[in-house]
């Protein structure tokens, strides 16, 4: 392995944890990280994917060294989510983790940065579907999988609202 | 043991006692009843049969997991040789208006119960005399009492879980000592929240000319899914009112093959379109518990296309079919099935279509007419976040209001039943993943804020559906037209359909009632009836849309004479003495009950007459 190659998978996991609101532990627990990584790379290409991860990584490093979380939160919004180029990709990565679905990038993006051949809406793999974080986020089983058990539905749900500052 | 799959060659040499078109619940019950009395049976099935094996069933689940659009037919591969309507997605129905029938069914072995929700509600005694009692629609030639013994057989076959006392309160009658085979499914946590709001309203009035006061009370719905067997259950005996003590064991649950035949409901929240643990009844369960499976032959991928008759006496001589090789090619061979009796069990739309395609409109001319369904009004809101409701858990529906199923108001406006959807807003067109997309793409939410947003906008969803009775009307109908055919050259159903003011009035009433319920719950109404929706309509200056109920009925209605109906009280064709048309098509009214339990009961009733015919 080339020691000068940034560990993009590491960046990807840190980025994913920041934007999904789930820990790296949760993300790795889905077993889908490398499938998602290669799916994204396969669709948008290595160059732009690297740009996104590098942008994030720089924010991440700065926030850590200056011990200022707002660098990261503001940076994610201003430099990534609001960016015409990186924003739609970041949104797609969130949705991918949440629903195992790659959604076709929006038309304006495709016009400006070039339509990619594999950029269609699809579920990346049947067995990724039950691993979607959406279901965990709202405290339910993925419809049609991981059944919670007879009569479980009569009890209060396990989720609650958290204060966003936590 | 599984029924025997055969090929065209085998069947060309056999004259069966009975030839059945369709392996759905109606056809499967007839096959089971007749084969158990020693009769030889052939089932022609338009769809594929891989779902009969566990492996095939798992494939269907996998197809569902991988489907982008998880609609009601998403577990089953698209089959252009025997298309299934799917809420107008694939354009199978040729809809001529005024309003769309929409809805879906599944042409695959086991039929539409493969993706049904599983509510199994009896009709009420007064529903059988809709014309006499309320001046709408049609009367049945038989009464609730006549059907009672067969309801019990259907409840045994399907394995119904429910509370008999609650059903009595709703107006259904039961013989003394009878309880449903399994205990009711527990109401959801969401039901509990809604109950509080409903209890505060207490009562409402309905009807203008003779206003009636109705007490609101939530109750559970009987369902065809495995719960806990009722210790007091007694199964139907050998004479009409006989009951025999029975330790009801739901198929599979306690057996050595639970994965193959079904476990107890585990709250997978996916009853439509596929239950991963087969806790929900589907007609494969009837097919796989036939006592003498060697008596029943199944020819799958065989689309019945033409009923041949002897013009001199009207008797059916054969049914012709096209058998295709596989779903990705339109190549087919033609064949003929011969028998002593013939039974069409292809569902209300397909039965009528097949008869009309065979140029057999019946003496009354009513073949295909009186098409019925339950139009549903939906109303949806978000509950306050003071208590997290946890929507999207449990069977799709556990409780609702059955208090508007009966009453004199039915002279002015139709009866209805209300359901609380544990599965959230999905049916309105906004599913959980739509909320996700909106939150991420439009509101740029991420991280912890995104998670909160999802809880606020999904876990608090409340959708109420109001299933409205639609009386028979001869201008609502299925027809055929040579312009509209599928790739095998078979007709696609042409549909004329409208919803009368009699129902619209109830939908408007239901909408107001829902707002009252939302208000007492502190819930915020989010219902939006878009003008561009094909099922949009206006009533007294307010706009609404409805959703198709998938409860197709009435197209070969039963009656007292050959001039007022297509089949007699035993579902036998007036014109063709060795032909039966089973399924919802024979029902002259549908009340405020999902149709399957009643059509299953009718299949038991018709099977008895078939056995008498075969003896003669
Ligand atoms: C989403 C959904 C939810 C539902 N929920 C409920 C519910 O909660 N409660 C309830 O009571 N009902 C419900 N229903 C309705 C229920 O599924 C039907 O009433 C029931 O399945 C009808 O049974 P059937 O045997 O008459 O017809 P089907 O189940 O439709 O079976 C007909 C069979 O005939 C075959 N066939 C069709 N044409 C041909 C041909 N030309 N040649 C050979 N074979 C042919 C088909 O492939 C199929 O196997 C629901 C339906 C849907 C779509
Ligand atoms: S709730 Fe789940 S386990 Fe129960 S019937 Fe529905 S899909 Fe099956």
């Amino acid at each position: 392995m080339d020691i000068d190659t940034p560990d993009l998978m590491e960046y990807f996991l840190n980025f994913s944890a920041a934007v999904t609101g789930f820990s790296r532990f949760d993300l790795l627990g889905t077993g889908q990280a490398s499938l998602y990584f290669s799916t994204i790379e396969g669709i948008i290409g290595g160059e732009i994917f690297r740009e996104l991860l590098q942008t994030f990584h720089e924010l991440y490093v700065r926030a850590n060294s200056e011990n200022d979380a707002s660098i990261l939160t503001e940076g994610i919004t201003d430099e990534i989510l609001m960016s015409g180029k990186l924003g739609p990709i970041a949104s797609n990565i969130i949705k991918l983790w949440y629903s195992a679905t790659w959604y076709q990038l929006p038309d304006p993006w495709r016009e400006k940065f070039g339509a990619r051949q594999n950029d269609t809406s699809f579920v990346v793999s049947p067995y990724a579907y039950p691993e979607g974080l959406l279901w965990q986020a709202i405290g339910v089983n993925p419809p049609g999988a991981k059944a919670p058990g007879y009569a479980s539905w009569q009890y209060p749900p396990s989720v609650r609202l958290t204060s966003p500052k936590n | 043991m599984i029924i025997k799959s055969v090929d065209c060659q085998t069947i060309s040499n056999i004259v069966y006692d009975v030839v059945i078109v369709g392996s759905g619940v109606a056809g499967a019950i007839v096959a089971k009843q007749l084969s158990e009395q020693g009769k030889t049976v052939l089932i022609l099935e338009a769809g594929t049969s891989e779902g009969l094996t566990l492996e095939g069933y798992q494939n269907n689940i996998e197809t569902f997991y991988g489907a982008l659009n998880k609609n009601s037919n998403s577990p089953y591969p698209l089959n252009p040789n025997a298309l299934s309507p799917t809420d107008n997605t694939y354009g199978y129905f040729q809809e001529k208006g005024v309003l769309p029938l929409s809805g879906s069914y599944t042409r695959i072995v086991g039929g539409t119960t493969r993706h049904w929700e599983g509510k199994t509600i009896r009709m009420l005694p007064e529903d059988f005399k809709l014309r006499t009692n309320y001046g709408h629609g049609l009367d049945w030639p038989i009464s609730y009492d006549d059907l009672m013994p067969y309801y019990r057989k259907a409840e045994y076959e399907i394995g119904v879980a429910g509370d008999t006392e609650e059903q009595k309160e709703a107006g259904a009658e039961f013989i003394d000592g009878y309880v449903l085979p399994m205990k009711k499914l527990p109401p959801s946590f969401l039901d509990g929240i809604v109950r509080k709001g409903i209890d505060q309203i207490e009562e409402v009035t309905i009807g203008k000319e003779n206003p009636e006061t109705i007490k609101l009370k939530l109750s559970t719905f009987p369902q065809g899914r495995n719960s806990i067997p009722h210790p007091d259950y007694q199964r139907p005996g050998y004479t009409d009112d006989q009951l025999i003590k029975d330790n009801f064991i739901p198929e599979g649950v306690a057996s050595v093959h639970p994965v193959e035949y079904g476990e107890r409901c585990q709250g997978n929240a996916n009853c439509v379109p596929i239950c991963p643990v087969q806790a929900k009844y589907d007609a494969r369960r009837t097919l796989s518990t036939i006592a003498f499976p060697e008596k029943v032959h199944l020819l799958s991928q065989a689309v019945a296309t033409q009923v041949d008759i002897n013009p001199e006496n009207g008797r059916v001589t054969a049914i012709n079919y096209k058998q295709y090789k596989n779903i990705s090619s339109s190549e087919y061979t033609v064949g003929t099935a011969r028998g002593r009796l013939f039974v069409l069990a292809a569902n209300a739309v397909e039965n009528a279509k097949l008869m009309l395609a065979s140029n057999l409109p019946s003496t009354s001319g009513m073949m295909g007419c009186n098409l019925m369904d339950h139009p549903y009004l939906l109303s949806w809101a978000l509950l306050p976040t003071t208590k997290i409701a946890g929507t999207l858990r449990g069977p799709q529906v556990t409780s609702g209001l059955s208090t508007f199923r009966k009453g004199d108001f039915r002279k002015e406006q139709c009866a209805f039943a209300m359901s609380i959807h544990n599965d959230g807003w999905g049916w309105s067109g906004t599913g959980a993943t739509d909320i996700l997309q909106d939150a991420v793409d439009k509101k740029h939410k991420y991280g912890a804020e995104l998670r909160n947003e999802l809880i606020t906008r999904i876990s608090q969803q409340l959708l109420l559906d109001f299933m409205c009775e639609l009386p028979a009307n001869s201008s609502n109908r299925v027809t055929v037209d040579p312009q509209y055919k599928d790739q095998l050259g078979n007709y696609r159903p042409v549909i004329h359909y409208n919803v009368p003011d009699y129902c619209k009035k109830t939908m408007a009433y239901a909408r107001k009632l829902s707002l009252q319920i939302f208000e007492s719950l502190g819930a915020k109404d989010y219902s939006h009836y878009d003008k561009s929706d094909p099922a949009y309509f206006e009533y007294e200056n307010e706009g609404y849309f409805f959703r198709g109920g998938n409860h197709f009925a009435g197209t070969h209605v039963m009656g007292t004479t050959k001039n007022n109906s297509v089949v007699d009280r035993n579902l036998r064709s007036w014109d063709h003495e060795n032909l039966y048309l089973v399924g919802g098509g024979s029902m002259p009214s549908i009340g405020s009950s999902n149709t399957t339990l009643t059509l299953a009961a009718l299949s038991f009733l018709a099977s008895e007459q078939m056995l008498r015919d075969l003896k003669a």
Side-chain angles (χ1 to χ4, degrees):
Chain A
M1 201 175 130
D2 182 349
I3 51 160
D4 292 332
T5 307
D7 191 347
L8 290 180
M9 187 63 181
E10 279 298 299
Y11 297 4
F12 176 59
L13 286 171
N14 289 339
F15 170 69
S16 297
V19 291
T20 60
F22 280 88
S23 68
R24 279 176 58 123
F25 177 81
D26 289 323
L27 300 180
L28 289 169
T30 68
Q32 307 301 318
S34 55
L35 175 67
Y36 292 163
F37 186 93
S38 60
T39 302
I40 300 161
E41 196 177 27
I43 294 171
I44 61 169
E47 197 181 322
I48 197 161
F49 191 23
R50 179 186 292 247
E51 184 183 334
L52 169 71
L53 296 178
Q54 288 282 15
T55 308
F56 169 78
H57 187 64
E58 279 156 28
L59 292 167
Y60 182 80
V61 170
R62 259 179 54 214
N64 277 347
S65 65
E66 293 172 34
N67 205 6
D68 180 357
S70 70
I71 296 181
L72 194 60
T73 48
E74 281 166 22
I76 288 178
T77 303
D78 299 345
E79 292 178 42
I80 298 178
L81 292 177
M82 291 304 158
S83 144
K85 187 176 187 186
L86 301 181
I89 296 170
S91 296
N92 259 18
I93 294 174
I94 302 176
K95 288 180 289 179
L96 186 57
W97 280 107
Y98 269 79
S99 65
T101 306
W102 175 267
Y103 289 93
Q104 187 177 62
L105 286 160
D107 285 343
W109 194 96
R110 289 158 60 82
E111 275 154 33
K112 193 151 176 209
F113 303 103
R116 307 298 202 265
Q117 203 189 355
N118 299 330
D119 178 24
T120 55
S121 299
F122 66 103
V123 176
V124 295
S125 125
Y127 289 94
Y129 159 74
E131 303 303 332
L133 299 174
L134 170 57
W135 318 111
Q136 263 194 63
I138 56 174
V140 306
N141 63 297
K146 303 189 183 181
Y150 183 72
S152 54
W153 55 85
Q154 63 177 326
Y155 301 104
S158 57
V159 284
R160 52 183 49 83
L161 293 170
T162 54
S163 133
K165 293 191 179 59
N166 287 343
Chain B
M1 267 286 273
I2 235 166
I3 52 172
K4 196 172 158 97
S5 282
V6 292
D7 58 21
C8 303
Q9 188 62 35
T10 313
I11 74 165
S12 65
N13 299 316
I14 305 178
V15 178
Y16 290 90
D17 288 324
V18 196
V19 174
I20 301 172
V21 177
S23 66
V25 53
I29 288 174
V30 174
K32 186 172 190 171
Q33 291 303 102
L34 271 57
S35 61
E36 286 181 1
Q37 298 303 319
K39 306 302 172 201
T40 56
V41 177
L42 170 68
I43 305 177
L44 295 175
E45 169 51 52
T48 55
S49 63
E50 74 269 353
L52 278 179
T53 63
L54 183 60
E55 193 191 353
Y57 194 81
Q58 292 299 345
N59 284 342
N60 293 148
I61 294 172
E62 197 174 303
T63 307
F64 164 77
Y65 284 173
L68 181 63
N69 176 355
K70 291 190 164 37
N71 65 38
S72 53
N73 277 322
S74 57
Y76 316 109
L78 182 72
N79 180 356
N81 293 327
L83 284 164
S84 301
T86 310
D87 298 313
N88 293 335
T89 320
Y90 310 117
Y92 176 59
F93 283 169
Q94 193 65 39
E95 299 256 15
K96 294 289 186 188
V98 175
L99 286 166
L101 175 67
S102 195
S104 67
Y105 48 78
T106 307
R107 294 212 282 171
I108 191 164
V109 79
T112 312
T113 50
R114 293 289 295 278
H115 81 228
W116 74 324
E117 181 198 321
K119 282 207 193 94
T120 41
I121 307 167
R122 289 186 182 195
M123 288 175 62
L124 304 182
E126 51 266 54
D127 296 340
F128 291 75
K129 291 266 174 286
L130 194 64
R131 163 74 37 191
T132 306
N133 291 338
Y134 311 110
H136 294 275
L138 298 171
D139 285 350
W140 289 54
I142 58 174
S143 68
Y144 181 86
D145 282 350
D146 294 328
L147 204 56
M148 270 236 258
Y150 305 100
Y151 267 138
R152 290 193 292 273
K153 290 186 184 191
E155 283 156 352
Y156 179 74
E157 182 62 38
I158 290 176
V160 172
D163 183 332
T164 325
E165 291 308 313
E166 283 180 345
Q167 293 311 300
K168 284 184 193 161
E169 271 184 48
E173 289 167 9
F174 298 87
I175 56 171
D176 286 344
Y178 180 77
V179 296
L180 291 164
M182 288 180 276
K183 292 182 174 178
K184 71 176 180 188
L185 281 122
S188 66
F189 186 72
L190 175 66
D191 292 341
I193 293 179
V194 178
R195 169 171 282 124
K196 293 214 174 91
I198 285 185
D199 286 351
Q200 275 170 31
I201 302 175
E202 283 179 21
E203 57 183 39
V204 293
T205 54
I206 185 166
K208 284 213 178 82
E209 279 149 38
N210 295 303
E212 281 172 76
T213 304
I214 302 226
K215 271 203 155 47
L216 299 188
K217 191 178 170 202
L218 276 194
S219 53
T220 60
F221 289 108
Q223 318 213 359
R225 77 185 85 253
N226 294 335
S227 70
I228 294 170
H230 201 302
D232 300 333
Y233 178 65
Q234 304 179 77
R235 70 176 166 78
Y238 302 101
T239 55
D240 270 4
D241 280 356
Q242 191 189 10
L243 293 176
I244 299 176
K245 185 87 194 98
D246 184 79
N247 283 331
F248 185 84
I249 300 173
E251 211 53 61
V253 165
S255 81
V256 281
H257 298 302
V259 259
E260 271 152 315
Y261 296 132
E263 306 180 26
R264 184 154 297 148
C265 173
Q266 310 176 348
N268 268 298
N270 201 55
C271 323
V272 178
I274 192 164
C275 173
V277 297
Q278 309 195 47
K280 180 189 73 169
Y281 170 86
D282 73 59
R284 292 169 320 127
R285 207 182 278 177
T286 296
L287 294 171
S288 60
T289 52
I290 287 179
F292 306 113
E294 67 285 357
K295 292 259 174 220
V296 182
H297 287 179
L298 172 72
L299 185 71
S300 55
Q301 300 178 203
V303 189
T305 51
Q306 163 89 26
V307 178
D308 285 347
I309 61 155
N310 175 343
E312 267 156 35
N313 56 17
R315 287 179 68 89
V316 175
T317 53
I319 290 184
N320 302 304
Y321 62 84
K322 291 179 182 165
Q323 193 188 35
Y324 52 91
K325 283 213 178 81
N326 55 58
I327 62 173
S328 46
S329 143
S330 59
E331 233 179 286
Y332 66 86
T333 50
V334 293
T336 301
R338 292 194 170 75
R340 295 165 64 200
L341 276 188
F342 294 86
V343 179
L344 303 192
N347 84 38
V349 174
E350 297 292 329
N351 274 358
K353 191 192 87 178
L354 179 56
M355 290 299 280
L356 294 169
S358 311
N359 206 10
L360 299 170
S362 85
T363 301
S364 64
M366 287 166 90
M367 189 69 71
C369 297
N370 297 311
L371 171 64
M372 286 176 275
D373 183 24
H374 287 117
Y376 280 76
L377 180 96
L378 311 181
S379 206
W380 58 102
L382 280 185
L383 290 158
T385 48
T386 38
K387 187 177 204 172
I388 302 300
T391 305
L392 252 65
R393 297 182 304 144
Q396 261 140 347
V397 169
T398 35
S399 306
L401 285 176
S402 289
T403 43
F404 296 90
R405 296 186 56 203
K406 57 177 185 182
D408 246 14
F409 67 86
R410 294 174 74 181
K411 289 180 180 143
E412 290 173 51
Q413 64 183 86
C414 73
F416 68 95
M418 182 196 93
S419 294
I420 301 165
H421 274 254
N422 293 329
D423 57 347
W425 288 0
W427 202 10
S428 74
T430 308
T433 49
D434 298 304
I435 301 280
L436 170 70
Q437 288 182 64
D438 184 71
V440 175
D441 294 340
K442 302 231 169 78
K443 297 183 143 185
H444 301 291
K445 299 275 181 197
Y446 73 94
E449 251 191 67
L450 172 61
R451 295 183 61 164
N452 278 344
E453 172 85 1
L454 295 173
I455 294 171
T456 313
R457 291 175 66 196
I458 301 174
S459 303
Q460 301 309 96
Q461 288 183 354
L462 171 62
L463 182 135
L464 303 176
D465 85 36
F466 297 85
M467 178 177 93
C468 298
E469 173 173 29
L470 177 77
N473 177 325
S474 60
S475 52
N476 285 343
R477 63 195 188 276
V478 177
T479 56
V480 294
D481 180 333
Q483 277 187 71
Y484 307 117
K485 292 195 170 174
D486 67 16
Q487 70 172 26
L488 290 195
N490 296 328
Y491 287 101
R492 289 193 287 121
V494 178
I495 308 288
H496 290 85
Y497 183 73
N498 201 359
V499 175
D501 279 357
Y502 180 67
C503 300
K504 289 178 180 167
K505 185 169 177 181
T506 284
M507 290 198 236
Y509 178 87
R511 172 72 179 137
K512 287 208 186 85
L513 177 63
S514 70
L515 290 174
Q516 215 179 331
I517 295 171
F518 294 162
E519 195 188 317
S520 83
L521 289 166
K524 184 167 182 308
D525 181 39
Y526 276 85
S527 314
H528 170 67
Y529 307 105
D530 204 89
K531 272 197 170 147
S532 66
D533 193 280
Y536 178 86
F537 68 92
E538 287 179 6
Y539 181 77
E540 292 183 342
N541 302 322
E542 284 288 328
Y544 310 87
F545 64 53
F546 66 92
R547 288 289 170 255
N550 315 304
H551 301 152
F552 309 123
T555 51
H556 42 79
V557 81
M558 66 157 86
T560 49
T561 74
K562 68 190 305 186
N563 298 313
N564 68 12
S565 55
V566 176
V567 299
D568 68 12
R569 54 182 290 142
N570 293 309
L571 281 65
R572 185 168 60 185
S573 157
W574 289 110
D575 290 351
H576 316 286
E577 63 176 13
N578 63 341
L579 175 70
Y580 284 77
L581 290 96
V582 299
S586 294
M587 295 167 63
S589 72
I590 53 177
S592 47
S593 311
N594 315 50
T595 43
T596 308
L597 183 73
T598 302
L599 72 85
L602 287 170
S603 295
F604 281 101
L605 176 147
S607 299
E608 286 185 358
Q609 183 60 34
M610 292 176 205
L611 285 168
R612 286 191 286 269
D613 289 2
L614 286 169
K615 248 189 223 149

